[in-house]
């Protein structure tokens, strides 16, 4: 049974990865319904939070039904990170997660995200200060290292644990790899196999089938799987993994009714949460996967992803329902 601080997250929990413009409250709620054990917000800038930037503070919203939920923040400045911990706490998350893994230039160049992998002492001292500044469990999400020649993740994880980090999620790539190549889970297993480690070690990167999740558990011995891209437009991934663990069999894919129901609810929740314009815009990236496999679908997908008016998108869903009601997904 894995625990993050005092939070019992079950046996080999499945965690929804923090994903910018994806892991918002509507999508997290859908993933939770389908079996995600822990969900994380997208990363939120500590500098944005302390400036009270509307875009950052809105990202703090959480629904009761998605708990346990971790709010992820990033930054490299101690004062800003500590102030943002206080702001984040007011939203009542269950966990505060620190992003030490984002590879994008604008984040890294400020020493934040994966940028901090070049300064492990700072990574550790920032974590320690944040742990001391809150009663909530603090977790870390990071990568294997800055580049192939500087992988010290076993030592880094142990030091983070020693300053009070309550769980670590490790993406099996370096910053230099960005998203290229295959994620390497062997160094994550080394972290787990360190006899001094006692906090949960969650693996991340390329879990795209129930078999891969099982491999992460049984071959690599990790404590849980954090799932990102496989869930985009496919929140059912969580229940499929769980079913496979329980029975060794694959669940049939969701049928058209379930997919339409999810797409409609997703869009409606997104509009309710962030307004018509952003709600319509930011739900677009999910439709390809919601309806993946339907032949000659382009015409319908184009309507879904080009219209700025939700009424048109809902009308496209209705059309799909009429045209493909009996379509059997493979
Ligand atoms: C669209 C997108 C946005 C992401 N945003 C974040 C983020 O805000 N914070 C973070 O720690 N990682 C972020 N990531 C990285 C994912 O959390 C995860 O580490 C990565 O996608 C590898 O896992 P996967 O192979 O299961 O997708 C993002 C990834 C994607 C694809």
């Amino acid at each position: 049974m894995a625990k993050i601080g005092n939070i019992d997250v079950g046996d080999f929990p499945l965690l929804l990865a923090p994903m910018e413009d994806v892991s918002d409250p509507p999508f997290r709620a859908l993933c939770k319904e389908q079996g995600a054990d822990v969900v994380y917000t997208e990363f939120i800038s500590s500098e944005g939070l302390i400036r009270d930037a509307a875009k950052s503070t809105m990202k703090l919203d959480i629904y009761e039904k998605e708990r346990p939920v971790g709010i992820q923040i990033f930054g490299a400045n101690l004062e800003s990170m500590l102030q943002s911990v206080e702001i984040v706490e007011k939203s009542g998350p269950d966990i505060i997660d620190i992003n030490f893994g984002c590879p994008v230039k604008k984040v890294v160049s400020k020493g934040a995200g994966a940028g901090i992998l070049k300064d492990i002492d700072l990574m550790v001292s920032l974590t320690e200060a944040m742990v001391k500044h809150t009663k909530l469990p603090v977790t870390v999400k990071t990568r294997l290292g800055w580049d192939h020649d500087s992988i010290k993740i076993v030592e880094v994880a142990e030091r983070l644990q020693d300053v009070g980090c309550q769980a670590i999620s490790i993406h099996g790539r370096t910053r230099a790899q960005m998203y290229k190549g295959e994620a390497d889970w062997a160094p994550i297993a080394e972290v787990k196999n360190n006899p001094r480690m006692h906090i949960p070690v969650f693996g991340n990167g390329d879990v795209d089938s129930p078999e891969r999740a099982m491999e992460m558990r049984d071959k690599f011995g990790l404590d849980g799987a954090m799932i990102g891209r496989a869930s985009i437009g496919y929140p059912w991934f969580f229940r499929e993994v769980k079913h496979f663990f329980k029975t060794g069999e694959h669940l049939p894919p969701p049928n058209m009714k379930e997919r339409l129901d999810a797409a409609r609810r997703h869009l409606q929740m997104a509009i309710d949460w962030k307004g018509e314009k952003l709600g319509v815009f930011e739900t677009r990236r999910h439709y390809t996967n919601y309806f993946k496999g339907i032949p000659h679908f382009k015409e319908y997908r184009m309507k879904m992803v080009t219209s700025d008016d939700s009424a048109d998108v809902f009308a496209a869903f209705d059309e799909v329902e009429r045209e493909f009601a009996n379509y059997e997904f493979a």
Side-chain angles (χ1 to χ4, degrees), residues 17-20 43 72 99 141 171 179 204-206 228-229:
M19 286 184 283
E20 188 177 18
F43 70 169
Q72 188 189 63
N99 177 318
K141 176 162 180 280
H171 179 182
Y179 285 89
N204 172 241
D206 301 350
R229 289 166 293 179

Side-chain angles (χ1 to χ4, degrees), residues 256 299-300 317-327:
M256 182 57 93
E299 171 198 340
Y300 304 94
F317 294 156
D318 294 345
E319 259 184 87
V320 170
E321 187 164 30
R322 282 193 299 273
E323 291 295 317
F324 301 102
N326 298 319
Y327 180 75

Side-chain angles (χ1 to χ4, degrees), residues 17-22 41-44 72 97 99 101-102 141 143 171 173 179 204-207 226-230 232 285:
M19 286 184 283
E20 188 177 18
D21 294 338
V22 175
T41 67
E42 64 183 292
F43 70 169
I44 308 176
Q72 188 189 63
D97 188 67
N99 177 318
C102 178
K141 176 162 180 280
R143 290 185 171 232
H171 179 182
R173 288 186 175 86
Y179 285 89
N204 172 241
D206 301 350
V207 178
M226 178 177 269
I227 290 152
R229 289 166 293 179
I232 299 177
R285 74 164 71 212

